[in-house]
Structure formats: C-alpha cells, structure tokens
Amino acid sequence: MSSFKEMRKGLRDAVLQVSETERAVKQCTNNDKWGPTATEMKAIARMTMSYSDFPLVMSTIWKRLEEPGKHWRHVYKTLLLLEYLIKNGSEQVVTEAKVHRLQIRTLNEFQHIDEDGKDVGLSVRERSKQIVALLKDDKRIKAERKKAQKNADKYGGISSDEHFSGGGSYGGGGHSKKKSTWDDDDDDDDDSD
C-alpha cells in the first residue's frame, strides 16, 4: 500500500476514533490478494481473551461479513479469521458464532463475479458452509480446539484455553490454564439445533 493511502487511512481512523483492536481486525481482513497471516490471527485470538477487546473483535467481524460482493475478499478473509478464532480464540467466540450462525449461513448464497468473469463468491460460499457445519458439531469443535491446543503447545503459540492477565480477561487474573467447556473430555454433547 502506498504511503499516501496509509496516511489517509490513519487519518480517517483517528477522526473516526477507530480502536487498535478494530484496526487489527480490519488489517487482517483487508482487500490484499494474500490471506491473513498467522501472526495477525494469533494476535486477534489473544484479543478475544480480553473482556474489553472481545466485543470489538466480534462486532468488527459481524460488520465485515455484511459487506457487499465487491468486497468479497473482506468477507472471505473474515470467514478465515472467524474459523481460526473458533479453534484458537476464547470459548466466547464459539458461543457468539453460534448466535450468529444464521448470518454466516446467509453467505451460502454470496454472489460476486469479478471483472474477468470468475465466480469469486464460490470461496465465500464454501467457507461459510464449512463454518456452519463446524458450529453444528460440538464434538468436532472440541476436537479442533484440542488439536489447536496441542499445536500451540508444540509450536509455542497461544491456545484456546490460555487466559491472559490484565484488563479483565475471560479467564480471570494470571497466566493460567483453565479447562474450557469446549476442551473437556466428556462426550455428553447436545448436537441439536
């Protein structure tokens, strides 16, 4: 991005009082041709652990998912981020995503044909179907979060049940490991919808 565009965007964000959290989500789900980076998604997953940042992350996600077809990359990248957060973020992400499942499911009908005649809406439709299927399957959510936890332990990333101190996090004070509702080992799940 050119320095002029960056300066203009920074000025606009300052005037509109866009928070650092919202700016991070928008940067991760921007219109660039490449996907969100692991570093960006990990940082946002950490933000979901914060009582004050969580609502900002999620409200930005829900707004991004409502963008029109010409911003299909915003929508697609937001779905990628949401899936990552379901697996790696606060368990509150799972709860809120389930509440917004209808909004995600409406993207199964997303349409946009680019200037070359390519159906770029297909990637949005497929990703939304995958996320809706995941949200309907509590056992799979548990397995995916457990797998993410093992990968985080193995590679030194964050985990889905890691809670950070300061600023009122969902896990309470301290850097503690807390058993998550989605990460426990019991199999008495209710898969009804």
Side-chain angles (χ1 to χ4, degrees):
M1 186 182 322
S2 73
S3 60
F4 177 73
K5 281 186 178 180
E6 287 177 21
M7 191 169 63
R8 189 178 78 193
K9 188 181 273 187
L11 182 62
R12 183 187 68 216
D13 287 351
V15 169
L16 296 176
Q17 297 179 349
V18 175
S19 71
E20 287 295 321
T21 301
E22 186 177 351
R23 192 173 301 131
V25 174
K26 285 183 175 184
Q27 176 60 37
C28 184
T29 60
N30 63 23
N31 206 35
D32 294 339
K33 291 185 179 183
W34 52 86
T37 68
T39 303
E40 290 170 331
M41 292 193 296
K42 282 180 188 177
I44 294 167
R46 281 189 184 100
M47 291 175 191
T48 66
M49 307 291 179
S50 165
Y51 182 78
S52 59
D53 288 339
F54 174 80
L56 296 172
V57 168
M58 298 312 293
S59 68
T60 305
I61 285 173
W62 305 131
K63 286 176 195 170
R64 282 292 220 204
L65 290 179
E66 293 176 351
E67 292 194 8
K70 69 179 183 176
H71 297 296
W72 68 272
R73 278 195 185 100
H74 293 176
V75 177
Y76 182 68
K77 288 180 172 185
T78 300
L79 290 171
L80 291 175
L81 175 62
L82 179 59
E83 184 175 21
Y84 181 88
L85 295 178
I86 288 168
K87 296 174 183 178
N88 295 278
S90 161
E91 68 181 84
Q92 295 292 329
V93 173
V94 176
T95 303
E96 185 156 334
K98 284 183 170 199
V99 169
H100 286 265
R101 190 168 42 211
L102 179 60
Q103 181 181 2
I104 299 164
R105 190 171 46 220
T106 60
L107 295 172
N108 291 354
E109 305 299 321
F110 190 87
Q111 297 289 322
H112 186 69
I113 308 297
D114 70 7
E115 54 277 347
D116 297 326
K118 182 180 176 190
D119 180 9
V120 293
L122 177 63
S123 57
V124 171
R125 292 191 300 272
E126 291 302 316
R127 184 63 60 173
S128 68
K129 288 174 187 174
Q130 291 171 7
I131 293 172
V132 168
L134 175 63
L135 291 172
K136 287 182 176 180
D137 188 346
D138 285 345
K139 288 180 183 176
R140 187 166 155 226
I141 291 172
K142 285 182 183 183
E144 292 289 345
R145 289 177 65 84
K146 186 176 274 191
K147 185 168 132 184
Q149 166 65 45
K150 285 180 182 174
N151 286 336
D153 290 344
K154 186 175 183 179
Y155 300 112
I158 73 156
S159 70
S160 58
D161 66 339
E162 190 171 303
H163 300 280
F164 298 90
S165 62
S169 66
Y170 281 114
H175 184 78
S176 64
K177 295 280 183 174
K178 177 184 169 269
K179 199 76 164 161
S180 164
T181 305
W182 299 106
D183 299 324
D184 58 11
D185 293 325
D186 63 23
D187 289 316
D188 58 327
D189 301 325
D190 179 18
D191 290 334
S192 64
D193 269 73

